[in-house]
Each structure stands twice: as structure tokens, then as C-alpha cells.
Amino acid sequence: MNISYNEKNRVFKLDTVHSSYCIGIVDDENFVGHIYYGRKLAEDNLAYLMRTEEAPFVPSKNNRDRAAFLDTFPMEYTGNGLGDYREGSLEIRTMSGHSGVALSYVSHRIYDGKDPLEGLPATFGDAKACKTLELTCEDRILGLQVILSYSIFADSDALARSVKIVNNGQEPVYLTKVMSVCIDMDNDGYEMITLHGSWGRERAIQTRPVMKGKQSVSSIRGESSHQEHPFMAWKKRTTTEETGDIYAMNFVYSGNFLAQIEENQFGSIRAMMGIHPYDFCWKLESGDSFQAPEVVCVYSAEGIGGMTRTFHDLYRNHLIRGEYKDKKRPILINNWEATYFDFDTEKLLNIARQASELGIEMLVMDDGWFGRRNDDNSSLGDWQVNEDKLKGGLKYLVDEVNKLGMKFGIWFEPEMISPDSDLYREHPDWAIAIPGRTGTLTRNQYVLDLSRKEVRDFVYEMFADILRSANIEYVKWDMNRQLSDIGSYGLPADRQGELFHRQVLAVYEMQDRMTKEFPHLLLENCSGGGARFDPGMLYYSPQIWCSDDTDGVERLSIQAGTAMVYPLSTMGAHVSDCPNHAIGRVTPFETRGYVALAGTFGYELDVTKIPEEDRKMIPEQTAMYHKYNDLVRCGDYYRIAHYADNHYFDCYEVVAKDKSEALVTYIQVLNRPNFHSRRICIPGLDPQGCYVIENAQDWPELKQTEYMGDTLHYAGINIPPLWGDFKGRLMHLKKK
């Protein structure tokens, strides 16, 4: 880990463990250019790569073609409206209505450590773990200062980037677009990887060629969304899971975003990521600053898998915080699919009594415990216990659950308000709305305007009072609708364009406040399933509900896309009832357990009503979780085969950091007649190590149970066909 500046060549070089990132300053106007990002280099004499000695030349030599220069130069962070016709990184509007902005290098600072971002989640590390470069640029005409921040990590090939805008001018400036990162490079036949979906089928992997023009993914829904994801990667066409170059960006933010690659007329690409400019307009008063969220950039020469493991390690070590950062999570049972709104104290206690005998460690009470909430048409905002349902009160229920040796958790949806609620009748102006328009309802609810301090303080105290009233050790924080009708009764007309971002900042503030007041609480974020599964949320909660679709087969694709970026320890995954409540499929209880093992592991069913055969399997599954969770939670993840690609089977592996053991999960989705065994290769092991199949009793078909690591990696092992569809097995390899 090192950051250096070559004053003679005016080149900055940032070195991670295996990569280098180089920036150059050129011409009398101090343009900041991107030089190189890739494999680690020994030297920094790279200024020649910026093509300043060829036409159209720098403006000091050829100002008649200034626009031609600006439209081709590989900018590190771009202005707008002055001749670079590619997508701009920063767009503004002055009080006189003009939009031109140009940036020049002024100074820099290199320091050990990494400063936090005010009001925003971000990666972290002390002076030994991190090193940071700050490039200060300015537009002297506007008096606008732009600070580009780059942080690297001693134990990672990741690069964290962010931007801060400071108005040193005499007049306010309106920021209409602020990207957090921009990278210009030549297109070397790249393909773009993105994650797409919808409710119940989030984060499906999609690969497409990078072509002329703009290719983007985005959300304008007020959250990162089910439909798109704040991640993109671009790789060479020859790159595989294990080999080849790949670049990636992931936005540490939970609101509207834009991720885009643009190929220009000369075959160069511009990749950028940041807050979506849709309905964004931030008034920056003289003397004020605006901090843009962080983007994590990763380069890997070890294929998609190398990129994945870099993200996993970075987030485990430098993003996730709190008591459960490196801790096994309790096995929970959630009553939502078991009872929906139809429950009372005794029904919950019956589930808890049975669950406690089977090795389940926590009962989570989901939606329906407050106000007059007997369906989803009322009471959001009225966070008072319904004692007609919970006779004896919440504390009695929690105490009784604790007597069984179980923890207790609860569901909230703090960001929402029902039109049929006491809170809305008293404060209708507390909902986000455009005056004079009929409000757009989703799930018969509106969104609270948390940009107003009085609103978020009131709501916080309501649910904090609940948490203070009993021994509650887990919160599921839900958000079941996306934003629309963007208007705030608390903001003036020239600041209405700030509402989207202020709403996200307010959620961060509330979750930060909650985790500080209740530091032992396990927080799990959720948004109608996986609509807000992003790094911003991981800063406050070590796990996020992956999807409302808990079907064991659908989850293979959902979890594969999620695990491309996020550690397995972050993925909320449960064994649920069959027929599955989302799609009606019936899969073996055993297989559902194997799939859920790749996440936090829990149950989403009425344990008192499932078949006895399934109930008897729960102690085996809870024992399986305790046996393997340290490995699953902390190990290196490898994708071996993806069901969405081959339509027949899925296979993935987790290898211990010291290579001492590995767990291979094999799921046969569809069987085929008259078909021989399937060979899989198992990477990541010690090539010279000898491994035995520790659970050989589960693999009676295999006559050999001892293999060398390089044999398993390159020659592989034959997996016999399993009888039937939706069948699975685990293979636990132990190094002798």
C-alpha cells in the first residue's frame, strides 16, 4: 500500500496489493487526467500515455482546437458545457442561469488513514490500514472547489473514491449533477456486467458487450431498487471466473443512482457512478459544502471470482460494523409466512416453544403487532402495541420467549405512514406529497417526509420507546414502497430538488442513532425483500433480507447475483414452507436448508404445522449451521457453476482463509435420463495439500475420498446423478 507523487512528471501513483492507479497533471491549466488502472507497476513515469504530444494537443499549444482536446482527453473528473461532449461528472447552474464548469488542479494532500464522510456511510480504516490522496481542484471563475478523494487499503485491491464540492464564491450555486467517480480508458473489447430484476427475482446477472453510445443502469425510485442495482463491472471477453481482467464499481448509497459506460467516437470508454441527476438540484450557499457518497472501485487480474473476493473482504473488514461484524448470527424463526397478520400472544408462544426444542434461537414477530394493524391497510405510524393481540403486553411476550432460552426480535417500517392512522389524521403534511395532487399509494401507504427533523425525531422516539420497553435483541427494518410525488412541506421552492437525497440522509441518521443507542441490537434491513440491498445499508446492518422469494430454486439465482458483490454473511436467507408462498413450487426440506446455509440461515414457517418428517430434520439443519457457519461467514467464495447458465445444476464453494477446509454445495435442479456423472472442478485449495471428504458417509457412490488440491482444481471430481429434481448435497473437504 503506497501513494506517491512524482513532481517531475506530475504523476500520482496509488498502489494496492496487486494493482496500480495513476493520475497525471498536464498543461498550464493543470488538467487532471486519468493515466492507468490495472496490474501493479514498478515505475510511475507514465505521463506519455495521456497522448498530449499528439493532435489535437493541449490548449497551451493549440487553443484553436480546445474543444477537440476536451472531447478526447482522459479526464479524471469532468466538468460540463465547455467542449467535452461526453457525459459530464459535475453539472451546475449559477444564479445567472449558466452551466459551464471546468476544473484545474490546485493542490494535494497524502495522509495515513481515512476520514469519515459526514452523514454518509463509507469504508473505514486507521492509519495502518488505509492511505488517502486528496486532490483539490477548482473553477476559479465560479469560486467552486472540488476535492477528489482516493483511499487504498493495506489488505485489499479496492480503491474508495468520493467527491466533495465547496462553494467559495459569493453567490449560491445549484448543483444539478454530482457523480462520485469517473474513469476514462480505451475500450479493449469489454463486456459489461450488471444486476437486474424485480420483486422476488432480484439481482440476476446480465452480461452484454460495451458498444458505441451509452449503456447504463439506474434507479429513480428513491432506493437502490429491486429492478436495478448500484453495481457495474466491465471485463475482457476472455475473462472467466478465475482468470482475466475485470473492473468494477459499487455505490455506497441507498437512493437514486446512475451507473453508466459510454463509448465515444474514438473507441474510448467513460465509466461513471453517482447520485442520479433526475430531480436532483442542491442549493449550495456561499461557504457551504456538499459531500457526494462513496464508490468502491475494484480491479482484478484473477477474473470475476477475484473481483468478488475483493469486495467480500473489503466489506467484512472495512464497512460492516458493530457487535455482529465477525459474529455468528442467531438462528431465527419469523412468523410472517407462518401467520401473516393472524396471530396473538399464545400463537407466537406455541411457535416459540416448538422452535426452542428444535435448536432455533430467536423468535421474530413481524408485521401486525401495533395500532389496528390486522391487514396492510392501516396503522403505519401508530407504533403502539396492540394489546388485544398481545395480551399482557409486549414485555410479557418477550419475557416468556426469553424463558424458553430464545432471543426476541421485532419488525418495524419507520419510513411509512398509512392514510388510515392516527398519525396521518393529526399530521397529513408529514407525508411526502405534491400539494393539489391526489397522492400515489402503494400497498395503501405513503412515505413519511423524514427530511424534516421534527418528523424523524417523533418517529424515532416512538419505535425507540418500544425497544426500551423490553429485551428486544433484533430489529427487521422494512420499507415496502418506493418514492413518488416528490414534494416536501418543509422545504422552500428552490430546495425541493434536495428531497430525494435528504430522505436517504435521514434514514442513515435514524439508523445510526438507533445502533448507537442500542449497540447490542442485531439490525437487518429489508425493503419489500431485496430492494435496498446495497453497501450503504451494510454500514448500519450486518445483514439484509435478500428477497421475499424464499423458494429454494429461485434463491440460487438471487443469491448468486448477490454473492457476486456481497459476503454470504450479509444475505438474509431462510428455510420456508412449501408450496412456496411466492411461486408455489415444492422442493425438499433438506434442499431448502442447503440453500439457506449460504446466508444467515433461519426459518420462515409455522413449525407447529409442517410435516413431522420436515420437523425432525430441523435439529440436523441447526447443527449443520453451527458446524459450517464460521467457514461460510468468513471464507473465500467461489462460483463453480450457475444454474441460470446451464439450467440443470448449481454449485458453489467456500474455502477457509488458511486452505484447511472447504464446503462445496451442489444443487441438482433438474435431473435428466440416461446421463452420466457431472465433473466439477474445485478451485481455491492448497495445490500441494491432501484433502479428504470429511462427510464421506454422504457420498457412498465415491470409492475414493482422498485427493490432492491441484487434482481437485484442474482434474475435478465426478458428481453422480441424484435421483429426482431439486436435490442437493454438501461436500466438506478437510486438509490432512
mmCIF file of all heavy atoms in Angstrom, residues 620-642:
data_model
loop_
_atom_site.group_PDB
_atom_site.id
_atom_site.type_symbol
_atom_site.label_atom_id
_atom_site.label_comp_id
_atom_site.label_asym_id
_atom_site.label_seq_id
_atom_site.Cartn_x
_atom_site.Cartn_y
_atom_site.Cartn_z
ATOM 1 N N GLU A 620 -31.113 -31.366 12.741
ATOM 2 C CA GLU A 620 -29.970 -31.673 11.881
ATOM 3 C C GLU A 620 -29.499 -30.414 11.147
ATOM 4 O O GLU A 620 -28.290 -30.182 10.992
ATOM 5 C CB GLU A 620 -30.354 -32.747 10.865
ATOM 6 C CG GLU A 620 -30.769 -34.082 11.464
ATOM 7 C CD GLU A 620 -31.263 -35.045 10.407
ATOM 8 O OE1 GLU A 620 -31.017 -34.787 9.207
ATOM 9 O OE2 GLU A 620 -31.909 -36.046 10.764
ATOM 10 N N GLN A 621 -30.462 -29.593 10.707
ATOM 11 C CA GLN A 621 -30.102 -28.375 9.982
ATOM 12 C C GLN A 621 -29.463 -27.341 10.899
ATOM 13 O O GLN A 621 -28.507 -26.663 10.513
ATOM 14 C CB GLN A 621 -31.336 -27.791 9.288
ATOM 15 C CG GLN A 621 -31.836 -28.641 8.135
ATOM 16 C CD GLN A 621 -33.038 -28.019 7.431
ATOM 17 O OE1 GLN A 621 -33.740 -27.181 7.996
ATOM 18 N NE2 GLN A 621 -33.274 -28.431 6.197
ATOM 19 N N THR A 622 -29.983 -27.199 12.116
ATOM 20 C CA THR A 622 -29.378 -26.231 13.039
ATOM 21 C C THR A 622 -27.966 -26.679 13.423
ATOM 22 O O THR A 622 -27.060 -25.860 13.564
ATOM 23 C CB THR A 622 -30.248 -26.029 14.282
ATOM 24 O OG1 THR A 622 -30.454 -27.280 14.950
ATOM 25 C CG2 THR A 622 -31.600 -25.428 13.910
ATOM 26 N N ALA A 623 -27.769 -27.987 13.569
ATOM 27 C CA ALA A 623 -26.423 -28.498 13.845
ATOM 28 C C ALA A 623 -25.505 -28.246 12.653
ATOM 29 O O ALA A 623 -24.322 -27.910 12.816
ATOM 30 C CB ALA A 623 -26.492 -29.991 14.172
ATOM 31 N N MET A 624 -26.038 -28.420 11.447
ATOM 32 C CA MET A 624 -25.279 -28.146 10.228
ATOM 33 C C MET A 624 -24.840 -26.681 10.193
ATOM 34 O O MET A 624 -23.684 -26.368 9.854
ATOM 35 C CB MET A 624 -26.144 -28.475 9.009
ATOM 36 C CG MET A 624 -25.561 -28.095 7.665
ATOM 37 S SD MET A 624 -26.700 -28.469 6.288
ATOM 38 C CE MET A 624 -27.981 -27.219 6.553
ATOM 39 N N TYR A 625 -25.742 -25.782 10.542
ATOM 40 C CA TYR A 625 -25.422 -24.356 10.574
ATOM 41 C C TYR A 625 -24.273 -24.082 11.547
ATOM 42 O O TYR A 625 -23.306 -23.388 11.216
ATOM 43 C CB TYR A 625 -26.654 -23.550 10.961
ATOM 44 C CG TYR A 625 -26.368 -22.110 11.312
ATOM 45 C CD1 TYR A 625 -26.177 -21.160 10.321
ATOM 46 C CD2 TYR A 625 -26.270 -21.697 12.641
ATOM 47 C CE1 TYR A 625 -25.895 -19.838 10.641
ATOM 48 C CE2 TYR A 625 -25.988 -20.382 12.967
ATOM 49 C CZ TYR A 625 -25.803 -19.459 11.968
ATOM 50 O OH TYR A 625 -25.512 -18.148 12.280
ATOM 51 N N HIS A 626 -24.371 -24.627 12.753
ATOM 52 C CA HIS A 626 -23.332 -24.365 13.749
ATOM 53 C C HIS A 626 -21.999 -24.975 13.339
ATOM 54 O O HIS A 626 -20.937 -24.424 13.644
ATOM 55 C CB HIS A 626 -23.768 -24.891 15.114
ATOM 56 C CG HIS A 626 -24.846 -24.063 15.749
ATOM 57 N ND1 HIS A 626 -24.654 -22.749 16.101
ATOM 58 C CD2 HIS A 626 -26.138 -24.367 16.076
ATOM 59 C CE1 HIS A 626 -25.775 -22.259 16.626
ATOM 60 N NE2 HIS A 626 -26.688 -23.223 16.615
ATOM 61 N N LYS A 627 -22.044 -26.068 12.627
ATOM 62 C CA LYS A 627 -20.805 -26.717 12.195
ATOM 63 C C LYS A 627 -20.095 -25.909 11.107
ATOM 64 O O LYS A 627 -18.861 -25.793 11.124
ATOM 65 C CB LYS A 627 -21.105 -28.125 11.683
ATOM 66 C CG LYS A 627 -19.865 -28.880 11.211
ATOM 67 C CD LYS A 627 -20.206 -30.310 10.801
ATOM 68 C CE LYS A 627 -18.952 -31.068 10.360
ATOM 69 N NZ LYS A 627 -19.246 -32.473 9.991
ATOM 70 N N TYR A 628 -20.851 -25.344 10.183
ATOM 71 C CA TYR A 628 -20.246 -24.745 8.991
ATOM 72 C C TYR A 628 -20.275 -23.219 8.952
ATOM 73 O O TYR A 628 -19.649 -22.620 8.077
ATOM 74 C CB TYR A 628 -20.946 -25.271 7.738
ATOM 75 C CG TYR A 628 -20.789 -26.756 7.513
ATOM 76 C CD1 TYR A 628 -21.901 -27.575 7.315
ATOM 77 C CD2 TYR A 628 -19.530 -27.352 7.490
ATOM 78 C CE1 TYR A 628 -21.769 -28.936 7.096
ATOM 79 C CE2 TYR A 628 -19.375 -28.709 7.276
ATOM 80 C CZ TYR A 628 -20.500 -29.501 7.086
ATOM 81 O OH TYR A 628 -20.354 -30.848 6.874
ATOM 82 N N ASN A 629 -20.983 -22.563 9.863
ATOM 83 C CA ASN A 629 -21.190 -21.128 9.686
ATOM 84 C C ASN A 629 -19.910 -20.312 9.764
ATOM 85 O O ASN A 629 -19.755 -19.327 9.027
ATOM 86 C CB ASN A 629 -22.206 -20.581 10.686
ATOM 87 C CG ASN A 629 -22.465 -19.095 10.485
ATOM 88 O OD1 ASN A 629 -22.026 -18.256 11.256
ATOM 89 N ND2 ASN A 629 -23.168 -18.769 9.406
ATOM 90 N N ASP A 630 -18.981 -20.672 10.633
ATOM 91 C CA ASP A 630 -17.726 -19.915 10.682
ATOM 92 C C ASP A 630 -17.032 -19.933 9.325
ATOM 93 O O ASP A 630 -16.490 -18.922 8.874
ATOM 94 C CB ASP A 630 -16.801 -20.488 11.758
ATOM 95 C CG ASP A 630 -17.267 -20.154 13.167
ATOM 96 O OD1 ASP A 630 -18.135 -19.269 13.311
ATOM 97 O OD2 ASP A 630 -16.778 -20.781 14.118
ATOM 98 N N LEU A 631 -17.057 -21.083 8.676
ATOM 99 C CA LEU A 631 -16.457 -21.212 7.348
ATOM 100 C C LEU A 631 -17.234 -20.398 6.323
ATOM 101 O O LEU A 631 -16.643 -19.636 5.537
ATOM 102 C CB LEU A 631 -16.412 -22.685 6.950
ATOM 103 C CG LEU A 631 -15.951 -23.034 5.528
ATOM 104 C CD1 LEU A 631 -14.551 -22.501 5.262
ATOM 105 C CD2 LEU A 631 -16.014 -24.544 5.308
ATOM 106 N N VAL A 632 -18.548 -20.531 6.305
ATOM 107 C CA VAL A 632 -19.387 -19.814 5.335
ATOM 108 C C VAL A 632 -19.273 -18.311 5.542
ATOM 109 O O VAL A 632 -19.185 -17.530 4.580
ATOM 110 C CB VAL A 632 -20.853 -20.278 5.469
ATOM 111 C CG1 VAL A 632 -21.777 -19.388 4.638
ATOM 112 C CG2 VAL A 632 -20.995 -21.736 5.039
ATOM 113 N N ARG A 633 -19.257 -17.879 6.782
ATOM 114 C CA ARG A 633 -19.268 -16.451 7.098
ATOM 115 C C ARG A 633 -17.935 -15.773 6.779
ATOM 116 O O ARG A 633 -17.895 -14.613 6.361
ATOM 117 C CB ARG A 633 -19.594 -16.274 8.583
ATOM 118 C CG ARG A 633 -19.942 -14.852 8.998
ATOM 119 C CD ARG A 633 -20.281 -14.750 10.467
ATOM 120 N NE ARG A 633 -19.114 -14.939 11.322
ATOM 121 C CZ ARG A 633 -18.868 -16.021 12.039
ATOM 122 N NH1 ARG A 633 -19.714 -17.039 12.029
ATOM 123 N NH2 ARG A 633 -17.783 -16.110 12.778
ATOM 124 N N CYS A 634 -16.833 -16.485 6.950
ATOM 125 C CA CYS A 634 -15.512 -15.863 6.853
ATOM 126 C C CYS A 634 -14.675 -16.319 5.661
ATOM 127 O O CYS A 634 -13.632 -15.724 5.382
ATOM 128 C CB CYS A 634 -14.716 -16.143 8.133
ATOM 129 S SG CYS A 634 -15.539 -15.601 9.645
ATOM 130 N N GLY A 635 -15.083 -17.388 4.978
ATOM 131 C CA GLY A 635 -14.247 -17.976 3.938
ATOM 132 C C GLY A 635 -14.307 -17.259 2.601
ATOM 133 O O GLY A 635 -15.060 -16.298 2.408
ATOM 134 N N ASP A 636 -13.513 -17.754 1.664
ATOM 135 C CA ASP A 636 -13.468 -17.228 0.299
ATOM 136 C C ASP A 636 -14.497 -17.953 -0.559
ATOM 137 O O ASP A 636 -14.532 -19.187 -0.604
ATOM 138 C CB ASP A 636 -12.081 -17.425 -0.306
ATOM 139 C CG ASP A 636 -11.047 -16.512 0.324
ATOM 140 O OD1 ASP A 636 -11.419 -15.418 0.779
ATOM 141 O OD2 ASP A 636 -9.855 -16.893 0.369
ATOM 142 N N TYR A 637 -15.294 -17.178 -1.279
ATOM 143 C CA TYR A 637 -16.408 -17.709 -2.061
ATOM 144 C C TYR A 637 -15.984 -17.920 -3.520
ATOM 145 O O TYR A 637 -15.352 -17.044 -4.128
ATOM 146 C CB TYR A 637 -17.583 -16.733 -1.981
ATOM 147 C CG TYR A 637 -18.748 -17.032 -2.889
ATOM 148 C CD1 TYR A 637 -19.668 -18.022 -2.577
ATOM 149 C CD2 TYR A 637 -18.941 -16.292 -4.056
ATOM 150 C CE1 TYR A 637 -20.749 -18.279 -3.404
ATOM 151 C CE2 TYR A 637 -20.019 -16.535 -4.891
ATOM 152 C CZ TYR A 637 -20.918 -17.529 -4.560
ATOM 153 O OH TYR A 637 -21.990 -17.779 -5.388
ATOM 154 N N TYR A 638 -16.347 -19.087 -4.061
ATOM 155 C CA TYR A 638 -16.069 -19.411 -5.462
ATOM 156 C C TYR A 638 -17.352 -19.906 -6.128
ATOM 157 O O TYR A 638 -18.020 -20.796 -5.607
ATOM 158 C CB TYR A 638 -15.013 -20.525 -5.576
ATOM 159 C CG TYR A 638 -13.624 -20.126 -5.154
ATOM 160 C CD1 TYR A 638 -13.264 -20.113 -3.808
ATOM 161 C CD2 TYR A 638 -12.667 -19.760 -6.099
ATOM 162 C CE1 TYR A 638 -11.983 -19.750 -3.410
ATOM 163 C CE2 TYR A 638 -11.382 -19.397 -5.714
ATOM 164 C CZ TYR A 638 -11.048 -19.389 -4.363
ATOM 165 O OH TYR A 638 -9.775 -19.033 -3.975
ATOM 166 N N ARG A 639 -17.690 -19.319 -7.277
ATOM 167 C CA ARG A 639 -18.783 -19.838 -8.095
ATOM 168 C C ARG A 639 -18.215 -20.930 -8.996
ATOM 169 O O ARG A 639 -17.281 -20.677 -9.768
ATOM 170 C CB ARG A 639 -19.389 -18.733 -8.973
ATOM 171 C CG ARG A 639 -20.337 -17.811 -8.268
ATOM 172 C CD ARG A 639 -20.766 -16.668 -9.192
ATOM 173 N NE ARG A 639 -19.614 -15.878 -9.601
ATOM 174 C CZ ARG A 639 -19.122 -14.858 -8.897
ATOM 175 N NH1 ARG A 639 -19.688 -14.511 -7.770
ATOM 176 N NH2 ARG A 639 -18.058 -14.189 -9.321
ATOM 177 N N ILE A 640 -18.765 -22.117 -8.936
ATOM 178 C CA ILE A 640 -18.293 -23.224 -9.769
ATOM 179 C C ILE A 640 -19.201 -23.410 -10.982
ATOM 180 O O ILE A 640 -18.744 -23.574 -12.109
ATOM 181 C CB ILE A 640 -18.196 -24.519 -8.943
ATOM 182 C CG1 ILE A 640 -17.130 -24.347 -7.841
ATOM 183 C CG2 ILE A 640 -17.867 -25.716 -9.838
ATOM 184 C CD1 ILE A 640 -17.052 -25.504 -6.875
ATOM 185 N N ALA A 641 -20.493 -23.373 -10.768
ATOM 186 C CA ALA A 641 -21.468 -23.469 -11.866
ATOM 187 C C ALA A 641 -22.717 -22.705 -11.457
ATOM 188 O O ALA A 641 -23.090 -22.692 -10.286
ATOM 189 C CB ALA A 641 -21.807 -24.926 -12.161
ATOM 190 N N HIS A 642 -23.348 -22.082 -12.432
ATOM 191 C CA HIS A 642 -24.506 -21.238 -12.157
ATOM 192 C C HIS A 642 -25.728 -21.812 -12.867
ATOM 193 O O HIS A 642 -25.740 -21.947 -14.088
ATOM 194 C CB HIS A 642 -24.203 -19.812 -12.613
ATOM 195 C CG HIS A 642 -25.224 -18.796 -12.200
ATOM 196 N ND1 HIS A 642 -26.262 -19.084 -11.352
ATOM 197 C CD2 HIS A 642 -25.353 -17.477 -12.512
ATOM 198 C CE1 HIS A 642 -26.986 -18.002 -11.168
ATOM 199 N NE2 HIS A 642 -26.462 -17.016 -11.870
#
